[in-house]
């Protein structure tokens, strides 16, 4: 896909960029999250070099994180460019594991401020990430989406390995109070994210 030309800062420590991938006929979203350990690039798609330089700034890129087996995207390219490992569940790369790879699982901490929540029942290797700073940020893979005509809702049934299990697993996210929620597919929720998630899950009872 064509590299994105720009990015958006949505909080002091969070930025996103996105672009349309004709191969999957969908908009793909990526996140840069700053922690004390450095900058994390999550589900990255290509970004023009000038914009990438501005996105990273003076921060040290600490690693690349992949939230689903469907989100390889430009992760290997970025890992090589910045000489950093890729963090993901082991099943994310069933055919060829990247050279610099760190396996993560539910309840792991990638660094002191960034925790992993495994989401079972979506696609292979599905995880969410939680960062508590600045009233909290949740970053999800495919299990939740936020784009038209669907709005904020669950991954469609046809893409789930076990939809009931996925919806139950998403309740783990309610333990993470978050102002913001970011998606691999869809525009971010910038306020009241935990309350929005509670309403969505309660409506599923």
């Amino acid at each position: 896909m064509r590299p994105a030309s720009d990015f958006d800062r949505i909080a002091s420590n969070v930025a996103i960029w996105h672009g349309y991938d004709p191969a999957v006929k969908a908009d793909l979203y990526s996140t840069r999250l700053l922690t004390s350990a450095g900058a994390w690039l999550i589900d990255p798609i290509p970004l023009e070099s000038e914009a990438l330089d501005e996105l990273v700034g003076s921060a040290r890129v600490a690693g690349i994180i992949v939230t689903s087996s469907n989100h390889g995207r430009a992760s290997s390219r970025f890992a090589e460019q910045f000489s950093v490992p890729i963090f993901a569940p082991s099943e994310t790369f069933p055919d060829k594991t990247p050279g610099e790879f760190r396996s993560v699982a539910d309840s792991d901490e990638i660094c002191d401020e960034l925790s992993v929540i495994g989401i079972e029942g979506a696609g292979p290797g599905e995880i969410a990430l939680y960062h508590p700073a600045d009233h909290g940020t949740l970053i999800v893979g495919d299990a939740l989406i936020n784009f038209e005509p669907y709005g904020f809702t669950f991954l469609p049934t046809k893409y789930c390995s076990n939809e009931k299990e996925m919806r139950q697993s998403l309740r783990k996210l309610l333990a993470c109070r978050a102002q913001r929620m970011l998606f691999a597919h869809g525009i971010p929720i910038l306020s009241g994210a935990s309350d929005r998630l509670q309403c969505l899950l309660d409506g599923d009872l």
Side-chain angles (χ1 to χ4, degrees), residues 121-188:
E126 181 79 12
I127 59 172
L129 303 166
Y130 178 61
H131 187 248
D134 195 18
H135 306 290
T137 300
L138 277 167
I139 303 166
V140 298
D142 284 339
L144 294 167
I145 60 174
N146 190 34
F147 59 88
E148 296 305 327
Y150 305 101
F152 175 48
T153 191
F154 303 106
L155 178 69
T157 304
K158 64 181 178 179
Y159 300 114
C160 301
S161 61
N162 186 323
E163 183 182 19
K164 184 177 180 180
E165 182 182 28
M166 181 194 75
R167 294 189 181 204
Q168 185 62 38
S169 184
L170 283 166
R171 291 190 170 274
K172 292 187 285 185
L173 301 184
L174 295 176
C176 307
R177 291 300 300 175
Q179 181 82 345
R180 291 166 297 279
M181 185 180 295
L182 285 71
F183 306 89
H185 300 283
I187 60 174

Side-chain angles (χ1 to χ4, degrees), residues 30-52:
S30 306
T31 302
R32 185 227 58 198
L33 178 69
L34 291 176
T35 72
S36 60
W40 301 89
L41 306 180
I42 301 161
D43 295 333
I45 63 170
L47 183 63
E48 290 183 359
S49 58
E50 185 175 335
L52 179 61

Side-chain angles (χ1 to χ4, degrees), residues 59-101:
R60 179 184 74 89
V61 175
I64 313 300
I65 306 174
V66 178
T67 65
S68 166
S69 61
N70 299 316
H71 296 168
R73 302 181 177 180
S75 58
S76 294
R77 187 188 316 172
F78 278 104
E80 182 177 350
Q81 179 176 347
F82 292 105
S83 300
V84 295
I86 294 174
F87 293 76
S90 55
E91 60 267 32
T92 302
F93 299 99
D95 299 323
K96 184 179 180 182
T97 302
E100 283 289 325
F101 180 72

